[in-house]
């Protein structure tokens, strides 16, 4: 079966750096998304990776290793507003989007 | 306002009743999707549509019906609601150019079935 694993919950301190990991086993790979979802709200797009390497976008960066079936989302200079769930999703060989259960990130002052 | 909107945002119903959740988008996106989100699960695809009059089943279609007579609307109907259908439902859309575009989500419809 297809599977995406993310930690259920993480805690970090305001101003610090946190790395949220995502490992996947899917039938094929056509790209990986990260979405942010604040409590009670809709998911919003953060990043898309299809090639190996690091994509940087302001305080957020996303890394992909296709050979390892692994990605991470790196958040720098954490702010209280970064408290949210972070969803990893992979596009499989049938161009279906497979979602992880999400990582709830708690930021403490 | 432009975007993707869902209604109702909150709904309480009883087992056995029919419920329709509405989804409307103003971008003329080709693809539209219905997901449900439950604690401990990732988003699960119920149905999707590649264009008007074209719909297809997702991972968890049982108990749901969709239609897409117009590009901008994609209603989801629970024909006879069950308690297991208590969930948050998200409608999403994306442009038809390529298969890897980002999804834009509606605000969600929180459904409780008593």
């Amino acid at each position: 079966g297809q599977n995406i694993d993310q930690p259920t919950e993480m805690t970090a301190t305001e101003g610090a750096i946190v790395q949220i990991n995502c490992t996947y086993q899917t039938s094929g790979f056509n790209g990986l998304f990260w979405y942010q979802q604040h409590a009670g709200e809709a998911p919003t797009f953060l990043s898309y990776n299809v090639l190996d390497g690091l994509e940087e976008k302001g305080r957020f960066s996303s890394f992909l290793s296709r050979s390892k079936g692994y990605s991470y989302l790196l958040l720098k200079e954490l702010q209280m507003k970064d408290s949210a769930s972070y969803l990893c999703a992979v596009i499989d060989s049938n161009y279906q989007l497979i979602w992880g259960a999400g990582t709830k990130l708690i930021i403490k002052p | 306002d432009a975007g993707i909107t869902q209604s109702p945002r909150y709904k309480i119903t009883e087992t056995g009743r029919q419920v329709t959740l509405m989804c409307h988008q103003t971008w003329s996106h080709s693809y539209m999707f219905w997901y449900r989100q439950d604690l401990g699960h990732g988003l699960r695809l119920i149905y999707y549509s590649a264009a008007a009059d074209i719909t297809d089943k997702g991972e968890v279609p049982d108990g749901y019906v969709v239609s897409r007579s117009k590009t901008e609307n994609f209603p989801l109907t629970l024909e006879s609601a069950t308690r297991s259908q208590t969930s948050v439902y998200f409608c999403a859309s994306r442009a038809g150019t390529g298969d890897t575009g980002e999804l834009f989500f509606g605000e969600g419809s929180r459904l409780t079935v008593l």
Side-chain angles (χ1 to χ4, degrees):
Chain A
Q2 310 210 82
N3 196 49
I4 296 184
D5 287 316
Q6 307 178 233
T8 303
E9 188 174 295
M10 299 181 70
T11 302
T13 305
E14 190 176 16
I17 299 173
V18 72
Q19 177 175 310
I20 302 173
N21 295 326
C22 170
T23 58
Y24 60 88
Q25 295 104 33
T26 56
S27 56
F29 177 86
N30 282 297
L32 184 145
F33 287 99
W34 283 97
Y35 280 77
Q36 180 189 59
Q37 185 177 24
H38 285 101
E41 297 183 8
T44 55
F45 171 81
L46 283 179
S47 68
Y48 172 69
N49 294 69
V50 65
L51 299 176
D52 290 351
L54 188 68
E55 295 275 345
E56 296 187 76
K57 196 185 288 186
R59 293 189 299 114
F60 292 12
S61 303
S62 56
F63 172 83
L64 174 68
S65 169
R66 288 171 296 172
S67 62
K68 295 182 179 178
Y70 169 68
S71 173
Y72 67 73
L73 182 69
L74 191 71
L75 291 72
K76 302 177 185 175
E77 301 169 15
L78 286 169
Q79 302 175 9
M80 297 303 293
K81 67 178 182 180
D82 298 329
S83 291
S85 288
Y86 292 86
L87 313 181
C88 174
V90 171
I91 306 172
D92 71 8
S93 57
N94 294 319
Y95 291 94
Q96 298 297 315
L97 202 51
I98 312 300
W99 294 85
T103 298
K104 182 178 180 180
L105 178 63
I106 300 168
I107 310 296
K108 295 187 174 179
Chain B
D1 287 341
I4 182 166
T5 54
Q6 294 183 228
S7 63
R9 294 289 313 282
Y10 302 90
K11 177 75 177 178
I12 299 174
T13 191
E14 294 177 334
T15 301
R17 291 194 181 263
Q18 183 179 79
V19 175
T20 296
L21 306 179
M22 304 300 294
C23 180
H24 175 78
Q25 53 107 354
T26 60
W27 293 304
S28 298
H29 282 171
S30 298
Y31 285 87
M32 295 188 75
F33 305 83
W34 273 107
Y35 286 95
R36 60 178 291 172
Q37 187 176 41
D38 304 288
L39 217 57
H41 291 274
L43 287 161
R44 290 185 288 176
L45 182 64
I46 304 170
Y47 270 95
Y48 67 100
S49 168
D53 297 321
I54 300 174
T55 62
D56 220 334
K57 295 179 180 179
E59 180 187 353
V60 289
D62 293 344
Y64 303 95
V65 174
V66 293
S67 62
R68 192 150 178 224
S69 56
K70 291 183 178 180
T71 300
E72 59 267 30
N73 296 324
F74 191 40
L76 176 73
T77 298
L78 289 68
E79 294 191 302
S80 178
T82 64
R83 289 196 182 90
S84 65
Q85 292 177 310
T86 292
S87 186
V88 180
Y89 291 85
F90 286 102
C91 180
S93 72
R94 69 168 170 84
T97 50
D99 293 303
T100 57
E102 68 178 273
L103 293 181
F104 295 87
F105 285 86
E107 296 162 309
S109 295
R110 186 175 295 273
L111 176 67
T112 301
V113 183
L114 302 176

